[in-house]
PDB file of all heavy atoms in Angstrom:
ATOM      1  N   ILE A  69      -7.245  -5.172  26.616  1.00 98.00           N
ATOM      2  CA  ILE A  69      -6.699  -4.398  27.731  1.00 98.00           C
ATOM      3  C   ILE A  69      -6.942  -2.915  27.485  1.00 98.00           C
ATOM      4  O   ILE A  69      -6.995  -2.461  26.337  1.00 98.00           O
ATOM      5  CB  ILE A  69      -5.188  -4.679  27.896  1.00 98.00           C
ATOM      6  CG1 ILE A  69      -4.682  -4.197  29.259  1.00 98.00           C
ATOM      7  CG2 ILE A  69      -4.385  -4.088  26.757  1.00 98.00           C
ATOM      8  CD1 ILE A  69      -3.289  -4.735  29.604  1.00 98.00           C
ATOM      9  N   ASP A  70      -7.104  -2.169  28.560  1.00 97.00           N
ATOM     10  CA  ASP A  70      -7.208  -0.711  28.508  1.00 97.00           C
ATOM     11  C   ASP A  70      -5.900  -0.148  29.044  1.00 97.00           C
ATOM     12  O   ASP A  70      -5.646  -0.178  30.251  1.00 97.00           O
ATOM     13  CB  ASP A  70      -8.393  -0.238  29.355  1.00 97.00           C
ATOM     14  CG  ASP A  70      -8.582   1.280  29.291  1.00 97.00           C
ATOM     15  OD1 ASP A  70      -7.719   1.972  28.715  1.00 97.00           O
ATOM     16  OD2 ASP A  70      -9.595   1.768  29.833  1.00 97.00           O
ATOM     17  N   LEU A  71      -5.066   0.371  28.154  1.00 96.00           N
ATOM     18  CA  LEU A  71      -3.734   0.819  28.543  1.00 96.00           C
ATOM     19  C   LEU A  71      -3.746   2.071  29.415  1.00 96.00           C
ATOM     20  O   LEU A  71      -2.713   2.446  29.977  1.00 96.00           O
ATOM     21  CB  LEU A  71      -2.879   1.063  27.301  1.00 96.00           C
ATOM     22  CG  LEU A  71      -2.407  -0.195  26.578  1.00 96.00           C
ATOM     23  CD1 LEU A  71      -1.721   0.160  25.270  1.00 96.00           C
ATOM     24  CD2 LEU A  71      -1.473  -1.011  27.462  1.00 96.00           C
ATOM     25  N   ALA A  72      -4.912   2.715  29.540  1.00 95.00           N
ATOM     26  CA  ALA A  72      -5.003   3.892  30.403  1.00 95.00           C
ATOM     27  C   ALA A  72      -5.139   3.507  31.872  1.00 95.00           C
ATOM     28  O   ALA A  72      -4.981   4.352  32.752  1.00 95.00           O
ATOM     29  CB  ALA A  72      -6.182   4.766  29.986  1.00 95.00           C
ATOM     30  N   LYS A  73      -5.411   2.239  32.136  1.00 96.00           N
ATOM     31  CA  LYS A  73      -5.566   1.782  33.520  1.00 96.00           C
ATOM     32  C   LYS A  73      -4.203   1.629  34.193  1.00 96.00           C
ATOM     33  O   LYS A  73      -3.223   1.233  33.561  1.00 96.00           O
ATOM     34  CB  LYS A  73      -6.306   0.433  33.556  1.00 96.00           C
ATOM     35  CG  LYS A  73      -7.705   0.467  32.944  1.00 96.00           C
ATOM     36  CD  LYS A  73      -8.652   1.330  33.746  1.00 96.00           C
ATOM     37  CE  LYS A  73     -10.081   1.229  33.185  1.00 96.00           C
ATOM     38  NZ  LYS A  73     -11.016   2.135  33.887  1.00 96.00           N
ATOM     39  N   THR A  74      -4.164   1.916  35.484  1.00 96.00           N
ATOM     40  CA  THR A  74      -2.920   1.806  36.243  1.00 96.00           C
ATOM     41  C   THR A  74      -2.357   0.384  36.154  1.00 96.00           C
ATOM     42  O   THR A  74      -3.068  -0.591  36.388  1.00 96.00           O
ATOM     43  CB  THR A  74      -3.162   2.158  37.727  1.00 96.00           C
ATOM     44  OG1 THR A  74      -3.669   3.493  37.798  1.00 96.00           O
ATOM     45  CG2 THR A  74      -1.869   2.067  38.524  1.00 96.00           C
ATOM     46  N   GLY A  75      -1.096   0.269  35.798  1.00 97.00           N
ATOM     47  CA  GLY A  75      -0.424  -1.022  35.715  1.00 97.00           C
ATOM     48  C   GLY A  75      -0.596  -1.753  34.400  1.00 97.00           C
ATOM     49  O   GLY A  75       0.114  -2.733  34.134  1.00 97.00           O
ATOM     50  N   ALA A  76      -1.530  -1.283  33.554  1.00 98.00           N
ATOM     51  CA  ALA A  76      -1.829  -2.006  32.315  1.00 98.00           C
ATOM     52  C   ALA A  76      -0.653  -2.050  31.330  1.00 98.00           C
ATOM     53  O   ALA A  76      -0.400  -3.101  30.727  1.00 98.00           O
ATOM     54  CB  ALA A  76      -3.066  -1.422  31.646  1.00 98.00           C
ATOM     55  N   PRO A  77       0.091  -0.962  31.118  1.00 98.00           N
ATOM     56  CA  PRO A  77       1.210  -1.045  30.171  1.00 98.00           C
ATOM     57  C   PRO A  77       2.237  -2.105  30.559  1.00 98.00           C
ATOM     58  O   PRO A  77       2.698  -2.870  29.699  1.00 98.00           O
ATOM     59  CB  PRO A  77       1.807   0.366  30.216  1.00 98.00           C
ATOM     60  CG  PRO A  77       0.663   1.245  30.577  1.00 98.00           C
ATOM     61  CD  PRO A  77      -0.130   0.438  31.569  1.00 98.00           C
ATOM     62  N   GLU A 119      -3.372  10.144  30.936  1.00 96.00           N
ATOM     63  CA  GLU A 119      -3.323   8.697  31.133  1.00 96.00           C
ATOM     64  C   GLU A 119      -3.496   7.950  29.821  1.00 96.00           C
ATOM     65  O   GLU A 119      -2.804   6.957  29.557  1.00 96.00           O
ATOM     66  CB  GLU A 119      -4.403   8.277  32.136  1.00 96.00           C
ATOM     67  CG  GLU A 119      -4.158   8.822  33.539  1.00 96.00           C
ATOM     68  CD  GLU A 119      -5.363   8.691  34.454  1.00 96.00           C
ATOM     69  OE1 GLU A 119      -6.451   8.292  33.970  1.00 96.00           O
ATOM     70  OE2 GLU A 119      -5.235   9.010  35.653  1.00 96.00           O
ATOM     71  N   SER A 124       0.187   5.801  28.708  1.00 97.00           N
ATOM     72  CA  SER A 124      -0.005   4.480  28.107  1.00 97.00           C
ATOM     73  C   SER A 124       1.165   4.112  27.202  1.00 97.00           C
ATOM     74  O   SER A 124       1.706   3.006  27.295  1.00 97.00           O
ATOM     75  CB  SER A 124      -1.318   4.436  27.317  1.00 97.00           C
ATOM     76  OG  SER A 124      -1.278   5.324  26.222  1.00 97.00           O
TER      77      SER A 124
END
Side-chain angles (χ1 to χ4, degrees):
I69 196 167
D70 182 352
L71 287 173
K73 300 294 186 184
T74 301
E119 294 167 353
S124 64

